[in-house]
Amino acid sequence: MNINIRILEQDFVLHPLGVAYWPEQEILLVADVHLGKVSHFRKYGSAVPYQAIVENFDRLDRIRKDFDPEHIIFLGDLFHSSLNMEWQIFEEWVTSIDNQVHLVAGNHDIISPLRYQELGIQIYQELKIEKFILTHHPEEHEGLFNLCGHVHPGYKLFGFGRQMLKLPCFYKSTNQMIFPAFGEFTGNYFMEPEDGDRIFAITGKEVIPIQ
């Protein structure tokens, strides 16, 4: 189940898989996919099933078809490291869709920009749209609301009897919203909200407003 929120008179649809759709701009926002990480693990002997490689693309395609955005903007760390077998899958995916793909470069995005240009993908260090600034790392920009990734935010839910559930989340403060990592095997940094901050935990099936 999605949740709709409004920021600076703009709508954002938060999806249980950790992406957000911005209908006024027809933009799908995705952070920290870390493509290639599974192949990297497998190369060095980790027992990660091959199916995990295609799962990211399957989930991206399901969301893309749900929203049918004009643009898909990745908020950095699209690829985890250098080229490996997942680049070919990515090429095939990009050439099979009719959405315009953009990348706000992150610290893991070390693949040559020429590779992206060949696929018609524009790369930015930051991207300003209306009163919003899209970056990979969280940043402060006076007069602008920051949409970003990098942190892989998570939240710990505590229940009775010492029960604890760890979930990825969208983390919204006064002038910023940090997106959860979309990719598998990325880990979380557990946030400690301050007064006025909002947490939207995700389970894969629903978005849960915490505060």
Short mmCIF file of all heavy atoms in Angstrom, two decimals, residues 65-118:
data_model
loop_
_atom_site.label_atom_id
_atom_site.label_comp_id
_atom_site.label_asym_id
_atom_site.label_seq_id
_atom_site.Cartn_x
_atom_site.Cartn_y
_atom_site.Cartn_z
N LYS A 65 6.08 -0.01 -14.49
CA LYS A 65 4.80 -0.25 -15.16
C LYS A 65 3.63 0.28 -14.34
O LYS A 65 2.63 0.73 -14.90
CB LYS A 65 4.64 -1.75 -15.43
CG LYS A 65 5.60 -2.27 -16.49
CD LYS A 65 5.52 -3.78 -16.63
CE LYS A 65 6.51 -4.28 -17.68
NZ LYS A 65 6.53 -5.77 -17.76
N ASP A 66 3.76 0.26 -13.01
CA ASP A 66 2.70 0.79 -12.15
C ASP A 66 2.50 2.28 -12.36
O ASP A 66 1.38 2.77 -12.45
CB ASP A 66 3.01 0.52 -10.68
CG ASP A 66 2.78 -0.93 -10.26
OD1 ASP A 66 2.13 -1.67 -11.03
OD2 ASP A 66 3.26 -1.32 -9.19
N PHE A 67 3.60 3.03 -12.43
CA PHE A 67 3.53 4.49 -12.48
C PHE A 67 3.67 5.05 -13.89
O PHE A 67 3.22 6.16 -14.16
CB PHE A 67 4.61 5.11 -11.58
CG PHE A 67 4.37 4.88 -10.12
CD1 PHE A 67 5.23 4.08 -9.37
CD2 PHE A 67 3.30 5.47 -9.47
CE1 PHE A 67 5.04 3.87 -8.02
CE2 PHE A 67 3.09 5.28 -8.12
CZ PHE A 67 3.95 4.47 -7.39
N ASP A 68 4.31 4.33 -14.78
CA ASP A 68 4.57 4.78 -16.15
C ASP A 68 5.13 6.21 -16.18
O ASP A 68 4.56 7.11 -16.79
CB ASP A 68 3.29 4.70 -16.99
CG ASP A 68 3.57 4.93 -18.47
OD1 ASP A 68 4.71 4.67 -18.92
OD2 ASP A 68 2.65 5.37 -19.19
N PRO A 69 6.28 6.45 -15.52
CA PRO A 69 6.82 7.81 -15.45
C PRO A 69 7.48 8.24 -16.76
O PRO A 69 7.94 7.39 -17.53
CB PRO A 69 7.88 7.68 -14.34
CG PRO A 69 8.37 6.27 -14.48
CD PRO A 69 7.17 5.46 -14.86
N GLU A 70 7.52 9.52 -16.97
CA GLU A 70 8.28 10.05 -18.11
C GLU A 70 9.77 9.91 -17.85
O GLU A 70 10.55 9.62 -18.76
CB GLU A 70 7.92 11.53 -18.32
CG GLU A 70 8.60 12.18 -19.51
CD GLU A 70 8.06 11.72 -20.86
OE1 GLU A 70 6.92 11.21 -20.88
OE2 GLU A 70 8.78 11.87 -21.86
N HIS A 71 10.16 10.10 -16.58
CA HIS A 71 11.57 10.07 -16.21
C HIS A 71 11.80 9.12 -15.03
O HIS A 71 10.96 9.04 -14.13
CB HIS A 71 12.06 11.47 -15.80
CG HIS A 71 11.85 12.51 -16.83
ND1 HIS A 71 12.75 12.74 -17.84
CD2 HIS A 71 10.83 13.39 -17.02
CE1 HIS A 71 12.31 13.72 -18.61
NE2 HIS A 71 11.14 14.12 -18.14
N ILE A 72 12.92 8.43 -15.05
CA ILE A 72 13.40 7.66 -13.90
C ILE A 72 14.73 8.28 -13.48
O ILE A 72 15.66 8.34 -14.28
CB ILE A 72 13.60 6.17 -14.23
CG1 ILE A 72 12.28 5.54 -14.71
CG2 ILE A 72 14.14 5.43 -13.01
CD1 ILE A 72 12.45 4.12 -15.23
N ILE A 73 14.79 8.79 -12.27
CA ILE A 73 16.00 9.42 -11.77
C ILE A 73 16.57 8.58 -10.64
O ILE A 73 15.91 8.36 -9.62
CB ILE A 73 15.75 10.86 -11.29
CG1 ILE A 73 15.21 11.72 -12.43
CG2 ILE A 73 17.03 11.47 -10.73
CD1 ILE A 73 14.91 13.17 -12.05
N PHE A 74 17.80 8.10 -10.83
CA PHE A 74 18.49 7.36 -9.80
C PHE A 74 19.34 8.33 -8.97
O PHE A 74 20.15 9.08 -9.52
CB PHE A 74 19.39 6.28 -10.42
CG PHE A 74 18.63 5.18 -11.09
CD1 PHE A 74 18.45 5.15 -12.46
CD2 PHE A 74 18.06 4.16 -10.33
CE1 PHE A 74 17.74 4.13 -13.08
CE2 PHE A 74 17.35 3.13 -10.93
CZ PHE A 74 17.19 3.11 -12.31
N LEU A 75 19.13 8.30 -7.65
CA LEU A 75 19.80 9.25 -6.75
C LEU A 75 21.14 8.68 -6.26
O LEU A 75 21.45 8.67 -5.08
CB LEU A 75 18.89 9.57 -5.56
CG LEU A 75 17.57 10.27 -5.89
CD1 LEU A 75 16.71 10.40 -4.64
CD2 LEU A 75 17.81 11.63 -6.53
N GLY A 76 21.94 8.23 -7.20
CA GLY A 76 23.31 7.83 -6.88
C GLY A 76 23.46 6.37 -6.49
O GLY A 76 22.51 5.69 -6.08
N ASP A 77 24.71 5.89 -6.65
CA ASP A 77 25.07 4.50 -6.37
C ASP A 77 24.16 3.53 -7.12
O ASP A 77 23.64 2.55 -6.57
CB ASP A 77 25.05 4.21 -4.87
CG ASP A 77 26.24 4.86 -4.15
OD1 ASP A 77 27.06 5.52 -4.82
OD2 ASP A 77 26.35 4.70 -2.93
N LEU A 78 24.01 3.83 -8.40
CA LEU A 78 23.26 2.92 -9.27
C LEU A 78 24.02 1.60 -9.41
O LEU A 78 23.44 0.53 -9.31
CB LEU A 78 23.05 3.57 -10.64
CG LEU A 78 22.40 2.71 -11.73
CD1 LEU A 78 21.06 2.16 -11.28
CD2 LEU A 78 22.24 3.52 -13.02
N PHE A 79 25.35 1.71 -9.63
CA PHE A 79 26.21 0.54 -9.67
C PHE A 79 27.13 0.54 -8.48
O PHE A 79 27.61 1.59 -8.05
CB PHE A 79 27.01 0.48 -10.97
CG PHE A 79 26.37 -0.38 -12.02
CD1 PHE A 79 25.34 0.12 -12.78
CD2 PHE A 79 26.77 -1.69 -12.21
CE1 PHE A 79 24.70 -0.67 -13.73
CE2 PHE A 79 26.15 -2.49 -13.15
CZ PHE A 79 25.12 -1.99 -13.92
N HIS A 80 27.39 -0.66 -7.96
CA HIS A 80 28.18 -0.78 -6.75
C HIS A 80 29.67 -0.59 -7.00
O HIS A 80 30.39 -0.07 -6.15
CB HIS A 80 27.94 -2.15 -6.10
CG HIS A 80 28.70 -2.36 -4.84
ND1 HIS A 80 28.41 -1.68 -3.67
CD2 HIS A 80 29.77 -3.15 -4.55
CE1 HIS A 80 29.24 -2.06 -2.73
NE2 HIS A 80 30.09 -2.94 -3.23
N SER A 81 30.16 -1.04 -8.17
CA SER A 81 31.60 -0.99 -8.43
C SER A 81 31.83 -0.95 -9.93
O SER A 81 31.02 -0.40 -10.67
CB SER A 81 32.29 -2.20 -7.79
OG SER A 81 31.72 -3.41 -8.25
N SER A 82 32.91 -1.55 -10.40
CA SER A 82 33.24 -1.51 -11.81
C SER A 82 32.35 -2.47 -12.60
O SER A 82 31.52 -3.19 -12.05
CB SER A 82 34.72 -1.88 -12.00
OG SER A 82 35.01 -3.13 -11.40
N LEU A 83 32.55 -2.49 -13.91
CA LEU A 83 31.72 -3.30 -14.80
C LEU A 83 31.78 -4.78 -14.44
O LEU A 83 32.85 -5.32 -14.15
CB LEU A 83 32.18 -3.13 -16.25
CG LEU A 83 31.89 -1.79 -16.93
CD1 LEU A 83 32.58 -1.74 -18.28
CD2 LEU A 83 30.39 -1.58 -17.08
N ASN A 84 30.63 -5.42 -14.46
CA ASN A 84 30.57 -6.87 -14.39
C ASN A 84 29.35 -7.32 -15.19
O ASN A 84 28.76 -6.55 -15.94
CB ASN A 84 30.54 -7.38 -12.93
CG ASN A 84 29.38 -6.81 -12.13
OD1 ASN A 84 28.30 -6.58 -12.65
ND2 ASN A 84 29.61 -6.57 -10.84
N MET A 85 28.94 -8.56 -15.04
CA MET A 85 27.90 -9.13 -15.89
C MET A 85 26.57 -8.39 -15.78
O MET A 85 25.77 -8.40 -16.72
CB MET A 85 27.67 -10.60 -15.54
CG MET A 85 27.16 -10.84 -14.14
SD MET A 85 26.70 -12.56 -13.84
CE MET A 85 25.30 -12.72 -14.93
N GLU A 86 26.34 -7.68 -14.68
CA GLU A 86 25.07 -6.99 -14.50
C GLU A 86 24.94 -5.76 -15.40
O GLU A 86 23.83 -5.28 -15.63
CB GLU A 86 24.86 -6.64 -13.03
CG GLU A 86 24.60 -7.89 -12.18
CD GLU A 86 24.35 -7.58 -10.73
OE1 GLU A 86 23.48 -6.74 -10.43
OE2 GLU A 86 25.02 -8.19 -9.88
N TRP A 87 26.08 -5.25 -15.88
CA TRP A 87 26.01 -4.10 -16.80
C TRP A 87 25.27 -4.51 -18.07
O TRP A 87 24.46 -3.74 -18.60
CB TRP A 87 27.39 -3.57 -17.14
CG TRP A 87 27.32 -2.44 -18.11
CD1 TRP A 87 27.51 -2.48 -19.46
CD2 TRP A 87 26.98 -1.08 -17.82
NE1 TRP A 87 27.32 -1.24 -20.03
CE2 TRP A 87 26.99 -0.36 -19.04
CE3 TRP A 87 26.67 -0.39 -16.64
CZ2 TRP A 87 26.70 1.00 -19.11
CZ3 TRP A 87 26.38 0.96 -16.71
CH2 TRP A 87 26.41 1.64 -17.93
N GLN A 88 25.52 -5.70 -18.58
CA GLN A 88 24.84 -6.16 -19.79
C GLN A 88 23.33 -6.27 -19.57
O GLN A 88 22.54 -5.89 -20.44
CB GLN A 88 25.40 -7.51 -20.24
CG GLN A 88 24.75 -8.01 -21.54
CD GLN A 88 25.33 -9.34 -22.00
OE1 GLN A 88 26.34 -9.81 -21.47
NE2 GLN A 88 24.68 -9.95 -22.98
N ILE A 89 22.94 -6.77 -18.39
CA ILE A 89 21.51 -6.84 -18.07
C ILE A 89 20.92 -5.44 -18.00
O ILE A 89 19.81 -5.19 -18.48
CB ILE A 89 21.29 -7.59 -16.74
CG1 ILE A 89 21.89 -8.99 -16.81
CG2 ILE A 89 19.80 -7.66 -16.39
CD1 ILE A 89 21.84 -9.75 -15.49
N PHE A 90 21.68 -4.52 -17.41
CA PHE A 90 21.22 -3.12 -17.32
C PHE A 90 21.06 -2.51 -18.70
O PHE A 90 20.06 -1.85 -18.98
CB PHE A 90 22.23 -2.32 -16.48
CG PHE A 90 21.90 -0.86 -16.38
CD1 PHE A 90 20.81 -0.41 -15.67
CD2 PHE A 90 22.72 0.09 -17.01
CE1 PHE A 90 20.51 0.94 -15.58
CE2 PHE A 90 22.44 1.44 -16.92
CZ PHE A 90 21.33 1.87 -16.20
N GLU A 91 22.03 -2.73 -19.59
CA GLU A 91 21.93 -2.23 -20.96
C GLU A 91 20.66 -2.74 -21.62
O GLU A 91 19.94 -1.97 -22.28
CB GLU A 91 23.15 -2.67 -21.77
CG GLU A 91 24.42 -1.90 -21.50
CD GLU A 91 25.54 -2.34 -22.43
OE1 GLU A 91 25.65 -3.55 -22.73
OE2 GLU A 91 26.31 -1.46 -22.86
N GLU A 92 20.41 -4.02 -21.48
CA GLU A 92 19.23 -4.61 -22.11
C GLU A 92 17.95 -4.02 -21.53
O GLU A 92 16.99 -3.78 -22.26
CB GLU A 92 19.25 -6.13 -21.93
CG GLU A 92 20.38 -6.81 -22.69
CD GLU A 92 20.55 -8.27 -22.32
OE1 GLU A 92 19.83 -8.73 -21.40
OE2 GLU A 92 21.38 -8.95 -22.95
N TRP A 93 17.96 -3.79 -20.22
CA TRP A 93 16.78 -3.21 -19.58
C TRP A 93 16.53 -1.79 -20.07
O TRP A 93 15.40 -1.44 -20.43
CB TRP A 93 16.95 -3.25 -18.06
CG TRP A 93 15.79 -2.67 -17.31
CD1 TRP A 93 14.58 -3.26 -17.12
CD2 TRP A 93 15.72 -1.39 -16.68
NE1 TRP A 93 13.75 -2.43 -16.40
CE2 TRP A 93 14.43 -1.29 -16.12
CE3 TRP A 93 16.63 -0.34 -16.52
CZ2 TRP A 93 14.03 -0.16 -15.41
CZ3 TRP A 93 16.23 0.78 -15.81
CH2 TRP A 93 14.94 0.88 -15.27
N VAL A 94 17.58 -0.96 -20.09
CA VAL A 94 17.42 0.44 -20.51
C VAL A 94 16.92 0.54 -21.95
O VAL A 94 16.04 1.34 -22.27
CB VAL A 94 18.75 1.21 -20.34
CG1 VAL A 94 18.66 2.58 -20.99
CG2 VAL A 94 19.10 1.35 -18.87
N THR A 95 17.48 -0.28 -22.83
CA THR A 95 17.08 -0.21 -24.24
C THR A 95 15.69 -0.79 -24.48
O THR A 95 15.11 -0.56 -25.55
CB THR A 95 18.10 -0.93 -25.13
OG1 THR A 95 18.26 -2.28 -24.68
CG2 THR A 95 19.45 -0.23 -25.09
N SER A 96 15.14 -1.51 -23.50
CA SER A 96 13.82 -2.11 -23.68
C SER A 96 12.69 -1.23 -23.17
O SER A 96 11.51 -1.53 -23.41
CB SER A 96 13.76 -3.46 -22.95
OG SER A 96 13.73 -3.29 -21.54
N ILE A 97 13.01 -0.13 -22.47
CA ILE A 97 11.97 0.71 -21.88
C ILE A 97 11.86 2.03 -22.65
O ILE A 97 12.77 2.42 -23.39
CB ILE A 97 12.25 0.98 -20.39
CG1 ILE A 97 13.52 1.82 -20.20
CG2 ILE A 97 12.35 -0.33 -19.63
CD1 ILE A 97 13.81 2.19 -18.74
N ASP A 98 10.74 2.72 -22.47
CA ASP A 98 10.53 3.99 -23.16
C ASP A 98 10.57 5.17 -22.21
O ASP A 98 10.08 6.25 -22.52
CB ASP A 98 9.21 3.97 -23.94
CG ASP A 98 8.00 3.70 -23.05
OD1 ASP A 98 8.19 3.56 -21.82
OD2 ASP A 98 6.89 3.62 -23.58
N ASN A 99 11.15 4.99 -21.01
CA ASN A 99 11.29 6.07 -20.04
C ASN A 99 12.68 6.68 -20.16
O ASN A 99 13.64 5.99 -20.49
CB ASN A 99 11.11 5.53 -18.62
CG ASN A 99 9.96 4.56 -18.51
OD1 ASN A 99 10.15 3.37 -18.73
ND2 ASN A 99 8.77 5.04 -18.18
N GLN A 100 12.79 7.98 -19.91
CA GLN A 100 14.09 8.64 -19.93
C GLN A 100 14.79 8.42 -18.60
O GLN A 100 14.24 8.74 -17.53
CB GLN A 100 13.93 10.14 -20.19
CG GLN A 100 15.23 10.91 -20.22
CD GLN A 100 16.16 10.44 -21.32
OE1 GLN A 100 15.77 10.42 -22.48
NE2 GLN A 100 17.38 10.07 -20.97
N VAL A 101 16.01 7.88 -18.65
CA VAL A 101 16.75 7.54 -17.43
C VAL A 101 17.82 8.60 -17.16
O VAL A 101 18.52 9.03 -18.07
CB VAL A 101 17.39 6.15 -17.55
CG1 VAL A 101 18.19 5.82 -16.29
CG2 VAL A 101 16.32 5.08 -17.80
N HIS A 102 17.92 9.00 -15.89
CA HIS A 102 18.92 9.98 -15.45
C HIS A 102 19.63 9.43 -14.22
O HIS A 102 19.06 8.67 -13.44
CB HIS A 102 18.26 11.32 -15.07
CG HIS A 102 17.30 11.84 -16.09
ND1 HIS A 102 17.63 12.80 -17.02
CD2 HIS A 102 16.00 11.53 -16.32
CE1 HIS A 102 16.58 13.07 -17.77
NE2 HIS A 102 15.57 12.31 -17.37
N LEU A 103 20.87 9.89 -14.02
CA LEU A 103 21.64 9.47 -12.85
C LEU A 103 22.26 10.67 -12.17
O LEU A 103 23.00 11.44 -12.80
CB LEU A 103 22.74 8.48 -13.27
CG LEU A 103 23.78 8.11 -12.19
CD1 LEU A 103 23.10 7.42 -11.00
CD2 LEU A 103 24.87 7.23 -12.77
N VAL A 104 21.95 10.86 -10.89
CA VAL A 104 22.68 11.80 -10.05
C VAL A 104 23.82 10.98 -9.43
O VAL A 104 23.58 10.07 -8.64
CB VAL A 104 21.77 12.40 -8.96
CG1 VAL A 104 22.57 13.32 -8.05
CG2 VAL A 104 20.60 13.15 -9.58
N ALA A 105 25.03 11.27 -9.82
CA ALA A 105 26.16 10.39 -9.51
C ALA A 105 26.42 10.29 -8.01
O ALA A 105 26.36 11.28 -7.28
CB ALA A 105 27.42 10.88 -10.22
N GLY A 106 26.72 9.06 -7.57
CA GLY A 106 27.08 8.81 -6.19
C GLY A 106 28.53 8.37 -6.07
O GLY A 106 29.24 8.25 -7.07
N ASN A 107 28.97 8.14 -4.85
CA ASN A 107 30.38 7.80 -4.62
C ASN A 107 30.76 6.43 -5.19
O ASN A 107 31.94 6.18 -5.48
CB ASN A 107 30.69 7.83 -3.12
CG ASN A 107 29.71 7.02 -2.28
OD1 ASN A 107 28.53 7.39 -2.18
ND2 ASN A 107 30.17 5.94 -1.68
N HIS A 108 29.80 5.55 -5.40
CA HIS A 108 30.10 4.24 -5.99
C HIS A 108 30.03 4.25 -7.52
O HIS A 108 30.40 3.25 -8.14
CB HIS A 108 29.14 3.17 -5.46
CG HIS A 108 29.53 2.62 -4.12
ND1 HIS A 108 30.46 1.61 -3.97
CD2 HIS A 108 29.12 2.95 -2.87
CE1 HIS A 108 30.60 1.33 -2.69
NE2 HIS A 108 29.80 2.13 -1.99
N ASP A 109 29.57 5.33 -8.10
CA ASP A 109 29.37 5.37 -9.55
C ASP A 109 30.68 5.71 -10.26
O ASP A 109 30.93 6.85 -10.64
CB ASP A 109 28.26 6.37 -9.91
CG ASP A 109 26.90 5.89 -9.43
OD1 ASP A 109 26.54 4.75 -9.77
OD2 ASP A 109 26.22 6.65 -8.72
N ILE A 110 31.50 4.66 -10.45
CA ILE A 110 32.84 4.85 -11.02
C ILE A 110 32.92 4.38 -12.47
O ILE A 110 33.97 4.52 -13.10
CB ILE A 110 33.90 4.12 -10.18
CG1 ILE A 110 33.64 2.61 -10.15
CG2 ILE A 110 33.95 4.69 -8.76
CD1 ILE A 110 34.73 1.81 -9.48
N ILE A 111 31.84 3.84 -13.00
CA ILE A 111 31.83 3.42 -14.40
C ILE A 111 31.89 4.67 -15.28
O ILE A 111 31.27 5.69 -14.98
CB ILE A 111 30.57 2.58 -14.70
CG1 ILE A 111 30.64 1.26 -13.93
CG2 ILE A 111 30.43 2.31 -16.20
CD1 ILE A 111 29.39 0.42 -14.02
N SER A 112 32.62 4.60 -16.38
CA SER A 112 32.81 5.75 -17.25
C SER A 112 31.48 6.37 -17.69
O SER A 112 30.57 5.65 -18.12
CB SER A 112 33.60 5.33 -18.50
OG SER A 112 33.60 6.36 -19.46
N PRO A 113 31.37 7.69 -17.62
CA PRO A 113 30.16 8.36 -18.10
C PRO A 113 29.87 8.06 -19.56
O PRO A 113 28.71 8.12 -20.00
CB PRO A 113 30.47 9.85 -17.90
CG PRO A 113 31.49 9.88 -16.81
CD PRO A 113 32.31 8.65 -16.99
N LEU A 114 30.90 7.73 -20.35
CA LEU A 114 30.69 7.41 -21.76
C LEU A 114 29.78 6.20 -21.92
O LEU A 114 28.99 6.13 -22.88
CB LEU A 114 32.04 7.15 -22.45
CG LEU A 114 32.99 8.35 -22.52
CD1 LEU A 114 34.32 7.94 -23.15
CD2 LEU A 114 32.36 9.48 -23.32
N ARG A 115 29.88 5.26 -21.00
CA ARG A 115 29.01 4.08 -21.05
C ARG A 115 27.55 4.48 -20.91
O ARG A 115 26.66 3.94 -21.58
CB ARG A 115 29.40 3.11 -19.94
CG ARG A 115 30.74 2.42 -20.13
CD ARG A 115 30.59 1.25 -21.08
NE ARG A 115 31.79 0.44 -21.11
CZ ARG A 115 31.85 -0.79 -21.61
NH1 ARG A 115 30.76 -1.34 -22.11
NH2 ARG A 115 32.98 -1.47 -21.63
N TYR A 116 27.28 5.41 -20.00
CA TYR A 116 25.91 5.89 -19.80
C TYR A 116 25.44 6.72 -21.00
O TYR A 116 24.29 6.60 -21.43
CB TYR A 116 25.82 6.70 -18.52
CG TYR A 116 25.99 5.89 -17.26
CD1 TYR A 116 27.21 5.86 -16.58
CD2 TYR A 116 24.95 5.14 -16.76
CE1 TYR A 116 27.37 5.11 -15.43
CE2 TYR A 116 25.10 4.38 -15.60
CZ TYR A 116 26.31 4.36 -14.94
OH TYR A 116 26.46 3.60 -13.81
N GLN A 117 26.33 7.56 -21.51
CA GLN A 117 25.96 8.40 -22.65
C GLN A 117 25.56 7.55 -23.85
O GLN A 117 24.65 7.92 -24.61
CB GLN A 117 27.11 9.33 -23.01
CG GLN A 117 27.37 10.41 -21.97
CD GLN A 117 28.65 11.19 -22.22
OE1 GLN A 117 29.21 11.14 -23.32
NE2 GLN A 117 29.11 11.90 -21.21
N GLU A 118 26.24 6.42 -24.03
CA GLU A 118 25.89 5.52 -25.14
C GLU A 118 24.47 4.98 -25.01
O GLU A 118 23.84 4.62 -26.01
CB GLU A 118 26.89 4.36 -25.19
CG GLU A 118 28.28 4.77 -25.65
CD GLU A 118 29.30 3.65 -25.45
OE1 GLU A 118 28.92 2.58 -24.92
OE2 GLU A 118 30.47 3.85 -25.83
#
